[in-house]
Amino acid sequence: MERFSIKEAWLGVTLGDLTQSGAQAIVNAANPQLAGGGGVDGAIHQAAGPELLQACREIIQDIGELPAGEAVITPGFNLSAEWVIHTVGPIYRDGAQGERETLLRAYRNCLKTARDNGVATVDFPAISCGVYGYPLEEGAAVAAAALVEGLEMAWVREARLVLFKQRTFDVFLQAVKNRLEAGL
Ligand code: AR6
C-alpha cells in the first residue's frame, strides 16, 4: 500500500478486495435502486448477506431512488466494515453530460456521510470505472481531487482507494501523485 499524509489525515492507495477491508466504512458503487448488481456492488452484497439488501429496500421505500452523486449509509452486517456508504456514480456517455461534476459529488458526499456518522476510516472503489464506463485516467483524477480536498478539510482521518486490478491501481496511484505534486 502507498500512503500519503495530507495535513492531519492520510490517503492510501492499495491493490485489493474491498469486501476484505479493515476500514470502519466501505463505499459501494451502487445503482439508483440500491438493488444489488454486478461488480463491486455484487461482491459487497454477497459478503454482507441478505440483511444488506433489506436495509437498502427500506431506504428506497423512503426516498424512491438514490440520484447519481448522492450517498446513504447502512450497517455492514456480515462484513468486517461496520458501515456501507452507498453512492451512485454517473453513467459515462460523452463527458459532456456533467459526468465529472456528478462523480466529484459522489466522492464528496461519501466523505461527508462518513464525517456526519463519526466514521474515521473509509475505503473506496473506483466509482463508475467499471460497468458505468468512466474512462480510467479521468475517473482517477476526479477521485484524487475529491479525496485530497476532503482530507485537507479533515472530514475523515483516513481514506483509501482499494483497487481490484493492477492496471487500475497503477492509474489511480499516478493520479494521486499528480494531484499532490500539483498542490505543492
Ligand atoms: N473490490 C474492489 N473493487 C472491485 C471489486 C472488489 N471486490 N469488484 C470490482 N471492483 P463497478 P460502476 C472494481 O462495475 O462502474 C453494478 O452492477 C472494478 O474492477 O463495480 O460504478 C451496480 O449495481 C471497477 O474498477 O461499478 C451498478 O449498476 C470498480 O470496482 C453498476 O455496476 C467499479 O466497477 C455501477 O457501475
Side-chain angles (χ1 to χ4, degrees):
M1 178 171 70
E2 301 272 346
R3 207 160 176 253
F4 305 89
S5 96
I6 296 172
K7 295 194 176 168
E8 307 290 293
W10 293 92
L11 175 56
V13 186
T14 188
L15 187 60
D17 179 348
L18 203 57
T19 64
Q20 303 302 309
S21 161
Q24 231 182 318
I26 61 173
V27 169
N28 184 16
N31 51 62
Q33 294 73 34
L34 300 184
V40 71
D41 192 7
I44 288 172
H45 277 278
Q46 175 93 34
E51 284 173 296
L52 182 62
L53 203 53
Q54 189 51 41
C56 287
R57 282 205 192 101
E58 284 164 21
I59 290 172
I60 290 304
Q61 277 166 12
D62 279 353
I63 67 172
E65 64 175 36
L66 186 66
E70 303 294 319
V72 293
I73 191 166
T74 67
F77 300 104
N78 294 341
L79 289 162
S80 48
E82 196 179 338
W83 303 103
V84 179
I85 298 171
H86 306 260
T87 192
V88 179
I91 298 173
Y92 191 88
R93 299 199 195 283
D94 57 3
Q97 313 302 318
E99 289 95 334
R100 184 175 187 279
E101 259 318 301
T102 305
L103 188 57
L104 263 176
R105 285 200 301 114
Y107 280 101
R108 276 189 196 132
N109 282 326
C110 288
L111 286 173
K112 286 184 180 170
T113 300
R115 174 199 65 188
D116 293 348
N117 287 277
V119 170
T121 59
V122 56
D123 281 358
F124 288 80
I127 302 169
S128 282
C129 291
V131 174
Y132 279 1
Y134 212 101
L136 203 52
E137 272 84 2
E138 294 167 38
V142 172
L147 294 190
V148 168
E149 176 200 64
L151 290 167
E152 280 174 348
M153 291 189 278
W155 287 346
V156 295
R157 183 163 49 75
E158 178 162 9
R160 289 187 303 190
L161 289 156
V162 178
L163 293 326
F164 204 48
K165 296 179 188 160
Q166 184 67 46
R167 160 104 183 112
T168 318
F169 170 80
D170 293 343
V171 170
F172 273 65
L173 179 59
Q174 191 56 50
V176 166
K177 287 180 176 168
N178 292 346
R179 183 74 201 184
L180 293 175
E181 277 161 21
L184 285 178

mmCIF file of all heavy atoms in Angstrom, residues 12-59:
data_model
loop_
_atom_site.group_PDB
_atom_site.id
_atom_site.type_symbol
_atom_site.label_atom_id
_atom_site.label_comp_id
_atom_site.label_asym_id
_atom_site.label_seq_id
_atom_site.Cartn_x
_atom_site.Cartn_y
_atom_site.Cartn_z
ATOM 1 N N GLY A 12 -4.599 6.613 1.312
ATOM 2 C CA GLY A 12 -3.962 5.359 0.915
ATOM 3 C C GLY A 12 -4.421 4.928 -0.473
ATOM 4 O O GLY A 12 -5.542 5.227 -0.879
ATOM 5 N N VAL A 13 -3.536 4.247 -1.175
ATOM 6 C CA VAL A 13 -3.890 3.640 -2.464
ATOM 7 C C VAL A 13 -3.375 2.213 -2.414
ATOM 8 O O VAL A 13 -2.187 1.991 -2.173
ATOM 9 C CB VAL A 13 -3.255 4.384 -3.654
ATOM 10 C CG1 VAL A 13 -3.765 3.810 -4.978
ATOM 11 C CG2 VAL A 13 -3.514 5.879 -3.588
ATOM 12 N N THR A 14 -4.272 1.244 -2.600
ATOM 13 C CA THR A 14 -3.855 -0.141 -2.438
ATOM 14 C C THR A 14 -4.562 -1.049 -3.436
ATOM 15 O O THR A 14 -5.652 -0.743 -3.914
ATOM 16 C CB THR A 14 -4.094 -0.599 -0.973
ATOM 17 O OG1 THR A 14 -3.528 -1.876 -0.782
ATOM 18 C CG2 THR A 14 -5.561 -0.652 -0.631
ATOM 19 N N LEU A 15 -3.907 -2.154 -3.743
ATOM 20 C CA LEU A 15 -4.499 -3.181 -4.599
ATOM 21 C C LEU A 15 -5.218 -4.152 -3.669
ATOM 22 O O LEU A 15 -4.616 -4.636 -2.702
ATOM 23 C CB LEU A 15 -3.354 -3.875 -5.337
ATOM 24 C CG LEU A 15 -3.667 -4.889 -6.424
ATOM 25 C CD1 LEU A 15 -4.461 -4.282 -7.565
ATOM 26 C CD2 LEU A 15 -2.354 -5.472 -6.960
ATOM 27 N N GLY A 16 -6.484 -4.440 -3.926
ATOM 28 C CA GLY A 16 -7.159 -5.381 -3.032
ATOM 29 C C GLY A 16 -8.639 -5.498 -3.286
ATOM 30 O O GLY A 16 -9.171 -4.928 -4.237
ATOM 31 N N ASP A 17 -9.270 -6.244 -2.405
ATOM 32 C CA ASP A 17 -10.704 -6.539 -2.485
ATOM 33 C C ASP A 17 -11.405 -5.751 -1.378
ATOM 34 O O ASP A 17 -11.115 -5.936 -0.190
ATOM 35 C CB ASP A 17 -10.888 -8.049 -2.279
ATOM 36 C CG ASP A 17 -12.348 -8.475 -2.312
ATOM 37 O OD1 ASP A 17 -13.245 -7.614 -2.265
ATOM 38 O OD2 ASP A 17 -12.570 -9.698 -2.365
ATOM 39 N N LEU A 18 -12.315 -4.900 -1.768
ATOM 40 C CA LEU A 18 -12.988 -4.015 -0.808
ATOM 41 C C LEU A 18 -13.755 -4.800 0.260
ATOM 42 O O LEU A 18 -13.908 -4.321 1.387
ATOM 43 C CB LEU A 18 -13.942 -3.106 -1.589
ATOM 44 C CG LEU A 18 -14.352 -1.784 -0.977
ATOM 45 C CD1 LEU A 18 -13.165 -0.910 -0.646
ATOM 46 C CD2 LEU A 18 -15.273 -1.052 -1.940
ATOM 47 N N THR A 19 -14.229 -5.983 -0.074
ATOM 48 C CA THR A 19 -15.006 -6.750 0.907
ATOM 49 C C THR A 19 -14.127 -7.249 2.055
ATOM 50 O O THR A 19 -14.645 -7.652 3.091
ATOM 51 C CB THR A 19 -15.726 -7.962 0.273
ATOM 52 O OG1 THR A 19 -14.749 -8.879 -0.211
ATOM 53 C CG2 THR A 19 -16.644 -7.530 -0.850
ATOM 54 N N GLN A 20 -12.801 -7.222 1.850
ATOM 55 C CA GLN A 20 -11.870 -7.663 2.898
ATOM 56 C C GLN A 20 -11.330 -6.476 3.701
ATOM 57 O O GLN A 20 -10.434 -6.641 4.526
ATOM 58 C CB GLN A 20 -10.671 -8.412 2.276
ATOM 59 C CG GLN A 20 -11.069 -9.612 1.431
ATOM 60 C CD GLN A 20 -11.877 -10.615 2.227
ATOM 61 O OE1 GLN A 20 -11.472 -11.018 3.304
ATOM 62 N NE2 GLN A 20 -13.043 -10.998 1.714
ATOM 63 N N SER A 21 -11.878 -5.310 3.446
ATOM 64 C CA SER A 21 -11.359 -4.087 4.056
ATOM 65 C C SER A 21 -11.464 -4.111 5.577
ATOM 66 O O SER A 21 -12.457 -4.566 6.129
ATOM 67 C CB SER A 21 -12.171 -2.902 3.520
ATOM 68 O OG SER A 21 -12.023 -1.793 4.367
ATOM 69 N N GLY A 22 -10.458 -3.585 6.228
ATOM 70 C CA GLY A 22 -10.492 -3.416 7.676
ATOM 71 C C GLY A 22 -10.927 -2.013 8.083
ATOM 72 O O GLY A 22 -10.854 -1.665 9.263
ATOM 73 N N ALA A 23 -11.388 -1.209 7.128
ATOM 74 C CA ALA A 23 -11.817 0.159 7.457
ATOM 75 C C ALA A 23 -13.164 0.125 8.176
ATOM 76 O O ALA A 23 -13.904 -0.856 8.102
ATOM 77 C CB ALA A 23 -11.930 0.998 6.191
ATOM 78 N N GLN A 24 -13.475 1.240 8.819
ATOM 79 C CA GLN A 24 -14.755 1.344 9.538
ATOM 80 C C GLN A 24 -15.935 1.360 8.565
ATOM 81 O O GLN A 24 -17.001 0.840 8.872
ATOM 82 C CB GLN A 24 -14.740 2.654 10.309
ATOM 83 C CG GLN A 24 -15.078 2.537 11.760
ATOM 84 C CD GLN A 24 -15.076 3.911 12.384
ATOM 85 O OE1 GLN A 24 -14.202 4.742 12.105
ATOM 86 N NE2 GLN A 24 -16.049 4.162 13.233
ATOM 87 N N ALA A 25 -15.727 1.966 7.394
ATOM 88 C CA ALA A 25 -16.784 2.005 6.373
ATOM 89 C C ALA A 25 -16.181 1.705 5.015
ATOM 90 O O ALA A 25 -15.031 2.055 4.748
ATOM 91 C CB ALA A 25 -17.453 3.374 6.342
ATOM 92 N N ILE A 26 -16.978 1.044 4.161
ATOM 93 C CA ILE A 26 -16.588 0.893 2.756
ATOM 94 C C ILE A 26 -17.663 1.543 1.899
ATOM 95 O O ILE A 26 -18.835 1.608 2.286
ATOM 96 C CB ILE A 26 -16.378 -0.582 2.334
ATOM 97 C CG1 ILE A 26 -17.648 -1.417 2.479
ATOM 98 C CG2 ILE A 26 -15.212 -1.192 3.099
ATOM 99 C CD1 ILE A 26 -17.505 -2.822 1.900
ATOM 100 N N VAL A 27 -17.242 2.024 0.736
ATOM 101 C CA VAL A 27 -18.161 2.665 -0.198
ATOM 102 C C VAL A 27 -18.577 1.654 -1.258
ATOM 103 O O VAL A 27 -17.742 0.938 -1.803
ATOM 104 C CB VAL A 27 -17.491 3.899 -0.840
ATOM 105 C CG1 VAL A 27 -18.316 4.425 -2.012
ATOM 106 C CG2 VAL A 27 -17.303 4.989 0.208
ATOM 107 N N ASN A 28 -19.871 1.620 -1.532
ATOM 108 C CA ASN A 28 -20.414 0.768 -2.580
ATOM 109 C C ASN A 28 -20.746 1.616 -3.799
ATOM 110 O O ASN A 28 -21.417 2.636 -3.677
ATOM 111 C CB ASN A 28 -21.673 0.055 -2.072
ATOM 112 C CG ASN A 28 -22.222 -0.930 -3.085
ATOM 113 O OD1 ASN A 28 -21.527 -1.312 -4.030
ATOM 114 N ND2 ASN A 28 -23.457 -1.351 -2.887
ATOM 115 N N ALA A 29 -20.294 1.166 -4.978
ATOM 116 C CA ALA A 29 -20.667 1.799 -6.254
ATOM 117 C C ALA A 29 -21.967 1.136 -6.705
ATOM 118 O O ALA A 29 -21.954 0.136 -7.418
ATOM 119 C CB ALA A 29 -19.553 1.604 -7.280
ATOM 120 N N ALA A 30 -23.076 1.705 -6.266
ATOM 121 C CA ALA A 30 -24.387 1.070 -6.401
ATOM 122 C C ALA A 30 -25.130 1.600 -7.622
ATOM 123 O O ALA A 30 -24.608 2.417 -8.385
ATOM 124 C CB ALA A 30 -25.188 1.330 -5.131
ATOM 125 N N ASN A 31 -26.375 1.143 -7.785
ATOM 126 C CA ASN A 31 -27.294 1.706 -8.794
ATOM 127 C C ASN A 31 -28.392 2.465 -8.041
ATOM 128 O O ASN A 31 -28.541 2.303 -6.825
ATOM 129 C CB ASN A 31 -27.850 0.591 -9.691
ATOM 130 C CG ASN A 31 -28.437 -0.553 -8.880
ATOM 131 O OD1 ASN A 31 -29.390 -0.359 -8.130
ATOM 132 N ND2 ASN A 31 -27.858 -1.726 -9.000
ATOM 133 N N PRO A 32 -29.146 3.316 -8.743
ATOM 134 C CA PRO A 32 -30.125 4.173 -8.052
ATOM 135 C C PRO A 32 -31.209 3.400 -7.303
ATOM 136 O O PRO A 32 -31.826 3.942 -6.397
ATOM 137 C CB PRO A 32 -30.743 5.000 -9.190
ATOM 138 C CG PRO A 32 -29.727 4.963 -10.283
ATOM 139 C CD PRO A 32 -29.043 3.643 -10.185
ATOM 140 N N GLN A 33 -31.416 2.150 -7.662
ATOM 141 C CA GLN A 33 -32.430 1.336 -6.976
ATOM 142 C C GLN A 33 -31.858 0.644 -5.744
ATOM 143 O O GLN A 33 -32.605 -0.017 -5.009
ATOM 144 C CB GLN A 33 -32.996 0.277 -7.934
ATOM 145 C CG GLN A 33 -33.792 0.858 -9.104
ATOM 146 C CD GLN A 33 -32.916 1.528 -10.162
ATOM 147 O OE1 GLN A 33 -31.794 1.084 -10.415
ATOM 148 N NE2 GLN A 33 -33.392 2.609 -10.749
ATOM 149 N N LEU A 34 -30.556 0.771 -5.529
ATOM 150 C CA LEU A 34 -29.848 0.047 -4.442
ATOM 151 C C LEU A 34 -30.253 -1.424 -4.446
ATOM 152 O O LEU A 34 -30.482 -2.032 -3.393
ATOM 153 C CB LEU A 34 -30.141 0.671 -3.064
ATOM 154 C CG LEU A 34 -29.747 2.126 -2.857
ATOM 155 C CD1 LEU A 34 -30.019 2.543 -1.405
ATOM 156 C CD2 LEU A 34 -28.269 2.365 -3.178
ATOM 157 N N ALA A 35 -30.347 -1.979 -5.643
ATOM 158 C CA ALA A 35 -30.913 -3.318 -5.815
ATOM 159 C C ALA A 35 -29.849 -4.413 -5.875
ATOM 160 O O ALA A 35 -30.173 -5.571 -6.128
ATOM 161 C CB ALA A 35 -31.754 -3.346 -7.090
ATOM 162 N N GLY A 36 -28.604 -4.068 -5.640
ATOM 163 C CA GLY A 36 -27.527 -5.032 -5.856
ATOM 164 C C GLY A 36 -27.257 -5.102 -7.348
ATOM 165 O O GLY A 36 -27.987 -4.519 -8.150
ATOM 166 N N GLY A 37 -26.212 -5.783 -7.735
ATOM 167 C CA GLY A 37 -25.870 -5.847 -9.155
ATOM 168 C C GLY A 37 -24.605 -6.639 -9.327
ATOM 169 O O GLY A 37 -24.321 -7.556 -8.539
ATOM 170 N N GLY A 38 -23.816 -6.268 -10.328
ATOM 171 C CA GLY A 38 -22.537 -6.943 -10.568
ATOM 172 C C GLY A 38 -21.409 -6.180 -9.906
ATOM 173 O O GLY A 38 -21.644 -5.378 -8.997
ATOM 174 N N GLY A 39 -20.204 -6.433 -10.355
ATOM 175 C CA GLY A 39 -19.031 -5.679 -9.912
ATOM 176 C C GLY A 39 -18.873 -5.642 -8.407
ATOM 177 O O GLY A 39 -19.194 -6.603 -7.695
ATOM 178 N N VAL A 40 -18.420 -4.507 -7.929
ATOM 179 C CA VAL A 40 -18.146 -4.368 -6.500
ATOM 180 C C VAL A 40 -19.449 -4.436 -5.693
ATOM 181 O O VAL A 40 -19.468 -4.945 -4.564
ATOM 182 C CB VAL A 40 -17.308 -3.100 -6.238
ATOM 183 C CG1 VAL A 40 -18.103 -1.822 -6.432
ATOM 184 C CG2 VAL A 40 -16.691 -3.141 -4.864
ATOM 185 N N ASP A 41 -20.529 -3.944 -6.274
ATOM 186 C CA ASP A 41 -21.847 -3.980 -5.625
ATOM 187 C C ASP A 41 -22.242 -5.441 -5.324
ATOM 188 O O ASP A 41 -22.628 -5.780 -4.186
ATOM 189 C CB ASP A 41 -22.851 -3.330 -6.588
ATOM 190 C CG ASP A 41 -24.206 -3.034 -5.969
ATOM 191 O OD1 ASP A 41 -24.353 -3.200 -4.742
ATOM 192 O OD2 ASP A 41 -25.112 -2.634 -6.721
ATOM 193 N N GLY A 42 -22.110 -6.298 -6.323
ATOM 194 C CA GLY A 42 -22.438 -7.716 -6.135
ATOM 195 C C GLY A 42 -21.563 -8.347 -5.068
ATOM 196 O O GLY A 42 -22.051 -9.103 -4.201
ATOM 197 N N ALA A 43 -20.278 -8.026 -5.101
ATOM 198 C CA ALA A 43 -19.337 -8.602 -4.135
ATOM 199 C C ALA A 43 -19.673 -8.152 -2.709
ATOM 200 O O ALA A 43 -19.636 -8.947 -1.756
ATOM 201 C CB ALA A 43 -17.901 -8.203 -4.501
ATOM 202 N N ILE A 44 -20.048 -6.884 -2.557
ATOM 203 C CA ILE A 44 -20.378 -6.357 -1.218
ATOM 204 C C ILE A 44 -21.660 -7.018 -0.691
ATOM 205 O O ILE A 44 -21.705 -7.451 0.467
ATOM 206 C CB ILE A 44 -20.494 -4.812 -1.254
ATOM 207 C CG1 ILE A 44 -19.098 -4.200 -1.418
ATOM 208 C CG2 ILE A 44 -21.191 -4.276 -0.005
ATOM 209 C CD1 ILE A 44 -19.084 -2.701 -1.664
ATOM 210 N N HIS A 45 -22.678 -7.112 -1.537
ATOM 211 C CA HIS A 45 -23.923 -7.759 -1.084
ATOM 212 C C HIS A 45 -23.695 -9.225 -0.735
ATOM 213 O O HIS A 45 -24.225 -9.735 0.253
ATOM 214 C CB HIS A 45 -25.033 -7.593 -2.121
ATOM 215 C CG HIS A 45 -25.738 -6.287 -2.009
ATOM 216 N ND1 HIS A 45 -26.748 -6.061 -1.103
ATOM 217 C CD2 HIS A 45 -25.548 -5.113 -2.650
ATOM 218 C CE1 HIS A 45 -27.163 -4.805 -1.203
ATOM 219 N NE2 HIS A 45 -26.454 -4.207 -2.141
ATOM 220 N N GLN A 46 -22.899 -9.888 -1.552
ATOM 221 C CA GLN A 46 -22.591 -11.301 -1.294
ATOM 222 C C GLN A 46 -21.934 -11.473 0.078
ATOM 223 O O GLN A 46 -22.289 -12.356 0.855
ATOM 224 C CB GLN A 46 -21.624 -11.773 -2.395
ATOM 225 C CG GLN A 46 -21.087 -13.168 -2.247
ATOM 226 C CD GLN A 46 -21.945 -14.163 -2.991
ATOM 227 O OE1 GLN A 46 -22.495 -13.851 -4.040
ATOM 228 N NE2 GLN A 46 -22.083 -15.352 -2.435
ATOM 229 N N ALA A 47 -20.984 -10.595 0.372
ATOM 230 C CA ALA A 47 -20.235 -10.716 1.632
ATOM 231 C C ALA A 47 -21.039 -10.220 2.834
ATOM 232 O O ALA A 47 -20.875 -10.735 3.942
ATOM 233 C CB ALA A 47 -18.917 -9.944 1.518
ATOM 234 N N ALA A 48 -21.907 -9.231 2.616
ATOM 235 C CA ALA A 48 -22.654 -8.650 3.744
ATOM 236 C C ALA A 48 -23.843 -9.517 4.146
ATOM 237 O O ALA A 48 -24.279 -9.485 5.292
ATOM 238 C CB ALA A 48 -23.139 -7.248 3.383
ATOM 239 N N GLY A 49 -24.390 -10.272 3.177
ATOM 240 C CA GLY A 49 -25.563 -11.106 3.458
ATOM 241 C C GLY A 49 -26.862 -10.387 3.129
ATOM 242 O O GLY A 49 -26.871 -9.191 2.843
ATOM 243 N N PRO A 50 -27.987 -11.119 3.179
ATOM 244 C CA PRO A 50 -29.280 -10.605 2.716
ATOM 245 C C PRO A 50 -29.820 -9.426 3.521
ATOM 246 O O PRO A 50 -30.656 -8.670 3.025
ATOM 247 C CB PRO A 50 -30.220 -11.813 2.844
ATOM 248 C CG PRO A 50 -29.527 -12.785 3.721
ATOM 249 C CD PRO A 50 -28.061 -12.531 3.591
ATOM 250 N N GLU A 51 -29.353 -9.259 4.746
ATOM 251 C CA GLU A 51 -29.838 -8.109 5.532
ATOM 252 C C GLU A 51 -29.466 -6.782 4.878
ATOM 253 O O GLU A 51 -30.173 -5.785 5.053
ATOM 254 C CB GLU A 51 -29.251 -8.149 6.945
ATOM 255 C CG GLU A 51 -29.905 -9.178 7.846
ATOM 256 C CD GLU A 51 -29.151 -9.269 9.160
ATOM 257 O OE1 GLU A 51 -27.963 -9.666 9.129
ATOM 258 O OE2 GLU A 51 -29.730 -8.929 10.193
ATOM 259 N N LEU A 52 -28.377 -6.772 4.128
ATOM 260 C CA LEU A 52 -27.978 -5.517 3.471
ATOM 261 C C LEU A 52 -29.019 -5.125 2.421
ATOM 262 O O LEU A 52 -29.403 -3.956 2.331
ATOM 263 C CB LEU A 52 -26.587 -5.633 2.840
ATOM 264 C CG LEU A 52 -26.085 -4.349 2.177
ATOM 265 C CD1 LEU A 52 -25.960 -3.213 3.192
ATOM 266 C CD2 LEU A 52 -24.746 -4.561 1.487
ATOM 267 N N LEU A 53 -29.479 -6.100 1.638
ATOM 268 C CA LEU A 53 -30.484 -5.806 0.620
ATOM 269 C C LEU A 53 -31.774 -5.313 1.281
ATOM 270 O O LEU A 53 -32.422 -4.387 0.791
ATOM 271 C CB LEU A 53 -30.745 -7.060 -0.216
ATOM 272 C CG LEU A 53 -31.320 -6.815 -1.609
ATOM 273 C CD1 LEU A 53 -30.481 -5.838 -2.406
ATOM 274 C CD2 LEU A 53 -31.455 -8.146 -2.344
ATOM 275 N N GLN A 54 -32.132 -5.899 2.411
ATOM 276 C CA GLN A 54 -33.327 -5.488 3.141
ATOM 277 C C GLN A 54 -33.187 -4.036 3.619
ATOM 278 O O GLN A 54 -34.117 -3.229 3.466
ATOM 279 C CB GLN A 54 -33.578 -6.438 4.320
ATOM 280 C CG GLN A 54 -34.900 -6.225 5.022
ATOM 281 C CD GLN A 54 -36.103 -6.206 4.063
ATOM 282 O OE1 GLN A 54 -36.179 -7.003 3.131
ATOM 283 N NE2 GLN A 54 -37.028 -5.263 4.290
ATOM 284 N N ALA A 55 -32.027 -3.697 4.149
ATOM 285 C CA ALA A 55 -31.796 -2.310 4.603
ATOM 286 C C ALA A 55 -31.881 -1.349 3.419
ATOM 287 O O ALA A 55 -32.424 -0.241 3.544
ATOM 288 C CB ALA A 55 -30.432 -2.215 5.287
ATOM 289 N N CYS A 56 -31.372 -1.767 2.271
ATOM 290 C CA CYS A 56 -31.431 -0.928 1.063
ATOM 291 C C CYS A 56 -32.873 -0.747 0.613
ATOM 292 O O CYS A 56 -33.287 0.348 0.228
ATOM 293 C CB CYS A 56 -30.600 -1.552 -0.059
ATOM 294 S SG CYS A 56 -28.825 -1.407 0.224
ATOM 295 N N ARG A 57 -33.659 -1.822 0.669
ATOM 296 C CA ARG A 57 -35.083 -1.739 0.278
ATOM 297 C C ARG A 57 -35.815 -0.723 1.141
ATOM 298 O O ARG A 57 -36.643 0.038 0.647
ATOM 299 C CB ARG A 57 -35.767 -3.091 0.452
ATOM 300 C CG ARG A 57 -35.457 -4.040 -0.661
ATOM 301 C CD ARG A 57 -36.564 -5.100 -0.829
ATOM 302 N NE ARG A 57 -36.063 -6.130 -1.722
ATOM 303 C CZ ARG A 57 -35.586 -7.312 -1.321
ATOM 304 N NH1 ARG A 57 -35.588 -7.624 -0.045
ATOM 305 N NH2 ARG A 57 -35.115 -8.169 -2.202
ATOM 306 N N GLU A 58 -35.522 -0.719 2.427
ATOM 307 C CA GLU A 58 -36.208 0.224 3.329
ATOM 308 C C GLU A 58 -35.862 1.667 2.967
ATOM 309 O O GLU A 58 -36.732 2.541 2.991
ATOM 310 C CB GLU A 58 -35.852 -0.102 4.785
ATOM 311 C CG GLU A 58 -36.622 -1.332 5.259
ATOM 312 C CD GLU A 58 -36.068 -1.950 6.534
ATOM 313 O OE1 GLU A 58 -35.358 -1.256 7.291
ATOM 314 O OE2 GLU A 58 -36.352 -3.156 6.763
ATOM 315 N N ILE A 59 -34.612 1.899 2.605
ATOM 316 C CA ILE A 59 -34.220 3.265 2.193
ATOM 317 C C ILE A 59 -34.967 3.664 0.922
ATOM 318 O O ILE A 59 -35.504 4.772 0.822
ATOM 319 C CB ILE A 59 -32.687 3.339 1.996
ATOM 320 C CG1 ILE A 59 -31.990 3.236 3.351
ATOM 321 C CG2 ILE A 59 -32.291 4.626 1.278
ATOM 322 C CD1 ILE A 59 -30.488 3.110 3.276
#
